[in-house]
Amino acid sequence: MKKVAFYTLGCKLNFSETSTISRLFVEQGYQKVEFENTPDIFVINTCSVTENADKKCRQIVKNAKKISPESFVVIIGCFAQLKPKEISEIPGVDAVLGAAEKFKLMEHLQNFEKQKETIVCASEISNATEFNNAYSFADRTRTFLKVQDGCNYGCSFCTIPLARGKSRSDSIENIIKSALEIASSEVKEIVLTGVNIGDFGIQNGRRKENFLNLIKQLDEVEGIDRYRISSIEPNLLSNQIIEFVASSKRFVPHFHIPLQSGSNTVLKLMNRRYLTELYVERVSKIKENMPDACIGVDVIVGFPGEGDKEFLETYNFLNELDISYLHVFTYSERPNTKAIEMESPVPTKIRQERSKMLRILSEKKKRAFYESQLGTIHTALMEHDIKGSKMFGFTENYLKVELPADDTLVNKTIKLKINKITEENTSIVSVEDNMLV
Ligand code: SF4
């Protein structure tokens, strides 16, 4: 039995896809093993957003070859689609598969026989029109379920549409089937993932369904305790979606909404489809309906044209906004984007300083959010993550909680009260009566 190992870089979507591809191998009789366990085949799923994607990819291939010098190494994922030739020249790589080919890996690489030349199957991204469903079984508590892929937006900094193609989605019917399959396993929480999931519903180039209907129908699936929406564009997060989440049985009050800049000048340069005024409205609407909701924000610093004035606007905007944490990205130039040709690039040192300022702001926001929750009662799904005498879990509004380790609570939802915040923003909680929910 041949052994295969996987390595994933990048986002939750990549993780869900690796997981599905690994199941295809297992169905064909391969044995899935850890990276270090001398595999015969390595599959490395790459990301184009990762800093130094090329360097990371080289490093992983090098490690793989050290572990199993005779192994067959396959590179898939966004970076493989964007730079197939470059990747095929990395010593030790046997095959490179693009976005349209990665789920047909078995057909393209029959028996994983080594060829004289590196095999490159990366057709034009316009060929990536099929939707391939995927979900991960990373741990037995939570699953990432892919419901949508690709993007039709043209943000000036973004290579994702070039790497993943046009927007396309699974049908609600199929997604419900996947949710039922997941429900029949031990998993309690599903995180809905995609590239631009608010745009859900496009199949074969035509809009057939919409995100609101998807979440309404998922909410009825018995056996799943919780759903989380991984990230949704502010212009697609409608009042109806917010109101539905507020009244739903299973969707949790946790939103992750990309902002990217708090300056309207920069938002326009980025070709985003909203201005800061709309973002403020979305946050207010969420907080009106769900005062304890957790709101995470993506922001990019150092975009061309972001002068001191624009950065200060961003800083002040975020400082005043009722949000819970930031994911800060430092802008870096990407080939084939509009942004790379823009005037007024920001010097690297300034990008780094701004990034540091926003990371500190994020810590402040997170602390304030945790403190605002002192004394409140929540349900937490306890995870397999047991470290020494402690175990951890997350509340529905994404507070990380810590309890004394107890095997019987793993993968259980319990009711608890937040009564102390540690230095690292992990709340220590007391457990309420009738604790199992
Ligand atoms: S919405 Fe913009 S940033 Fe997000 S994937 Fe689409 S083009 Fe990229």
Side-chain angles (χ1 to χ4, degrees), residues 7 25-26 85 107 115 164 174 257 261 299 333 339 348:
Y7 196 101
F25 273 90
V26 173
K85 188 166 176 300
E107 288 117 87
Q115 309 288 324
R164 285 194 165 268
N174 273 344
I257 320 168
S261 174
V299 57
E333 284 75 7
T348 311

Side-chain angles (χ1 to χ4, degrees), residues 351-366:
R351 294 184 203 184
Q352 287 161 353
E353 282 166 13
R354 290 178 183 168
S355 168
K356 196 167 166 204
M357 281 174 75
L358 287 192
R359 283 176 212 269
I360 294 170
L361 179 62
S362 177
E363 284 308 309
K364 267 173 58 188
K365 288 281 177 190
K366 200 167 168 194

Side-chain angles (χ1 to χ4, degrees), residues 168-378:
R168 54 206 188 273
S169 314
D170 208 350
S171 65
I172 294 181
E173 196 187 341
N174 273 344
I175 296 169
I176 300 286
K177 265 192 220 148
S178 300
L180 286 167
E181 263 168 50
I182 294 166
S184 66
S185 69
E186 295 267 285
V187 172
K188 298 282 172 57
E189 181 175 309
I190 292 181
V191 184
L192 300 182
T193 49
V195 171
N196 186 350
I197 59 175
D199 196 28
F200 173 85
I202 299 176
Q203 290 171 42
N204 307 322
R206 293 184 52 207
R207 179 165 299 286
K208 298 211 167 132
E209 296 177 314
N210 68 48
F211 189 66
L212 181 62
N213 285 339
L214 169 69
I215 61 176
K216 280 184 175 170
Q217 293 190 41
L218 280 173
D219 204 38
E220 299 301 325
V221 175
E222 294 296 332
I224 298 295
D225 285 6
R226 294 167 160 190
Y227 293 99
R228 233 172 256 283
I229 300 169
S230 63
S231 171
I232 183 162
E233 290 289 306
N235 51 309
L236 296 171
L237 178 58
S238 63
N239 284 347
Q240 291 99 313
I241 293 175
I242 296 172
E243 283 159 11
F244 177 73
V245 170
S247 67
S248 83
K249 291 182 262 190
R250 297 184 167 93
F251 277 82
V252 293
H254 175 200
F255 295 87
H256 193 94
I257 320 168
L259 167 70
Q260 312 307 20
S261 174
S263 150
N264 282 342
T265 313
V266 178
L267 284 178
K268 286 179 192 163
L269 288 170
M270 288 176 162
N271 208 16
R272 301 287 289 166
R273 298 200 180 187
Y274 55 86
L275 296 176
T276 50
E277 291 76 9
L278 178 105
Y279 200 93
V280 173
E281 267 176 37
R282 302 295 80 205
V283 170
S284 315
K285 179 79 186 171
I286 293 170
K287 287 289 180 176
E288 252 167 49
N289 283 266
M290 294 161 272
D292 289 335
C294 175
I295 304 178
V297 181
D298 284 339
V299 57
I300 297 173
V301 287
F303 189 78
E306 183 193 71
D308 288 343
K309 175 175 165 283
E310 288 77 19
F311 175 68
L312 208 62
E313 271 171 32
T314 297
Y315 188 93
N316 291 337
F317 180 76
L318 289 165
N319 196 20
E320 279 156 30
L321 210 58
D322 191 0
I323 49 150
S324 321
Y325 63 90
L326 308 172
H327 280 175
V328 183
F329 300 88
T330 306
Y331 172 75
S332 67
E333 284 75 7
R334 305 273 175 214
N336 304 320
T337 57
K338 286 195 192 117
I340 200 168
E341 289 155 16
M342 284 182 181
E343 289 170 6
S344 316
V346 178
T348 311
K349 196 161 169 281
I350 296 179
R351 294 184 203 184
Q352 287 161 353
E353 282 166 13
R354 290 178 183 168
S355 168
K356 196 167 166 204
M357 281 174 75
L358 287 192
R359 283 176 212 269
I360 294 170
L361 179 62
S362 177
E363 284 308 309
K364 267 173 58 188
K365 288 281 177 190
K366 200 167 168 194
R367 185 84 195 170
F369 175 62
Y370 268 70
E371 280 173 359
S372 75
Q373 298 297 298
L374 276 170
T376 55
I377 293 178
H378 297 275

Side-chain angles (χ1 to χ4, degrees), residues 36-250:
E36 297 73 28
N37 199 358
T38 57
D40 303 294
I41 304 160
F42 286 96
V43 179
I44 302 167
N45 195 356
T46 60
C47 166
S48 61
V49 178
T50 318
E51 284 286 321
N52 303 319
D54 174 51
K55 225 163 116 192
K56 281 209 174 117
C57 190
R58 275 172 202 278
Q59 191 54 48
I60 299 161
V61 175
K62 213 167 150 193
N63 291 347
K65 284 295 179 189
K66 243 193 239 161
I67 295 167
S68 299
E70 297 307 316
S71 57
F72 191 98
V73 176
V74 190
I75 313 288
I76 58 169
C78 295
F79 198 50
Q81 176 65 39
L82 290 179
K83 301 270 177 201
K85 188 166 176 300
E86 213 169 272
I87 293 181
S88 70
E89 284 160 8
I90 297 178
V93 171
D94 294 291
V96 183
L97 297 186
E101 292 84 13
K102 64 188 170 195
F103 284 93
K104 299 192 183 112
L105 195 128
M106 303 285 177
E107 288 117 87
H108 286 290
L109 307 175
Q110 283 179 3
N111 297 326
F112 299 92
E113 295 281 338
K114 281 178 182 284
Q115 309 288 324
K116 257 204 216 125
E117 306 264 309
T118 307
I119 305 163
V120 180
C121 312
S123 56
E124 291 292 311
I125 191 60
S126 52
N127 290 344
T129 50
E130 244 178 65
F131 181 86
N132 293 97
N133 76 334
Y135 57 82
S136 68
F137 274 124
D139 59 29
R140 280 153 287 160
T141 311
R142 181 179 298 119
T143 279
F144 297 100
L145 171 61
K146 174 181 158 192
V147 298
Q148 184 272 345
D149 199 353
C151 182
N152 293 347
Y153 285 21
C155 300
S156 59
F157 53 83
C158 185
T159 53
I160 293 176
L162 302 173
R164 285 194 165 268
K166 291 261 182 229
S167 184
R168 54 206 188 273
S169 314
D170 208 350
S171 65
I172 294 181
E173 196 187 341
N174 273 344
I175 296 169
I176 300 286
K177 265 192 220 148
S178 300
L180 286 167
E181 263 168 50
I182 294 166
S184 66
S185 69
E186 295 267 285
V187 172
K188 298 282 172 57
E189 181 175 309
I190 292 181
V191 184
L192 300 182
T193 49
V195 171
N196 186 350
I197 59 175
D199 196 28
F200 173 85
I202 299 176
Q203 290 171 42
N204 307 322
R206 293 184 52 207
R207 179 165 299 286
K208 298 211 167 132
E209 296 177 314
N210 68 48
F211 189 66
L212 181 62
N213 285 339
L214 169 69
I215 61 176
K216 280 184 175 170
Q217 293 190 41
L218 280 173
D219 204 38
E220 299 301 325
V221 175
E222 294 296 332
I224 298 295
D225 285 6
R226 294 167 160 190
Y227 293 99
R228 233 172 256 283
I229 300 169
S230 63
S231 171
I232 183 162
E233 290 289 306
N235 51 309
L236 296 171
L237 178 58
S238 63
N239 284 347
Q240 291 99 313
I241 293 175
I242 296 172
E243 283 159 11
F244 177 73
V245 170
S247 67
S248 83
K249 291 182 262 190
R250 297 184 167 93

